[in-house]
Amino acid sequence: PQLLAFRITAEQQYLLSLYAFEAKETNIHNAATTAVIDLYNRYVKGTAGVAWENLDSKIRDVLFDLNYRGDLHDVSDETTQKTSTPFDDVAFAKQFRDAASSNKVGDFCRVLSSNNWLDDPNHRGNSWKIPRKRWQDRYEHLQSGRICPP
């Protein structure tokens, strides 16, 4: 009954909704970050890899995007051993894991520049089937940090 008598102005409603949205956005971002760190630790880092917080921020950004698309789990040893996965090139998956977890940006750029990522009908063999525009955006993101050559 007391709440029914409580009134707030339109401006107060607006400010309250901004606060609630910001809090929800922060919670979602934190959950997504926790998920990608967990996948990095489980599938990419291994026992000798660099800790997430010490990775180059551009590499973390690309790993975050890979997780967003659902690609990051495809690089694990156990996943790449199965022939039913969309990406079962064990050697390339290992190159990717090694390049990312070593924090060697040059190696990461070389792996990222491979055609194995692209959804290209002319590419023989398996690929992650990433649309060319998305792959280019990832690579350009690394170039913008002067990490990968143009």
Side-chain angles (χ1 to χ4, degrees), residues 107-131:
D107 292 348
F108 192 72
C109 290
R110 276 190 290 286
V111 170
L112 201 63
S113 67
S114 167
N115 283 336
N116 283 359
W117 298 99
L118 300 176
D119 186 10
D120 184 351
N122 298 320
H123 177 66
R124 293 179 184 219
N126 298 311
S127 79
W128 252 311
K129 298 184 183 318
I130 294 173

Side-chain angles (χ1 to χ4, degrees), residues 67-118:
N67 183 56
Y68 177 78
R69 255 189 49 92
D71 299 319
L72 192 54
H73 69 280
D74 288 337
V75 299
S76 75
D77 272 334
E78 58 191 51
T79 304
T80 55
Q81 299 294 335
K82 299 175 187 170
T83 57
S84 62
T85 62
F87 184 78
D88 57 1
D89 185 337
V90 177
F92 182 72
K94 182 174 180 351
Q95 287 174 359
F96 174 81
R97 286 192 310 271
D98 291 348
S101 65
S102 70
N103 207 27
K104 294 179 180 172
V105 292
D107 292 348
F108 192 72
C109 290
R110 276 190 290 286
V111 170
L112 201 63
S113 67
S114 167
N115 283 336
N116 283 359
W117 298 99
L118 300 176

Side-chain angles (χ1 to χ4, degrees), residues 133-148:
K133 173 73 171 110
R134 187 161 200 125
W135 174 83
Q136 287 173 323
D137 288 346
R138 285 179 183 170
Y139 198 78
E140 287 171 6
H141 180 67
L142 292 171
Q143 286 176 324
S144 72
R146 302 180 199 276
I147 292 175
C148 293

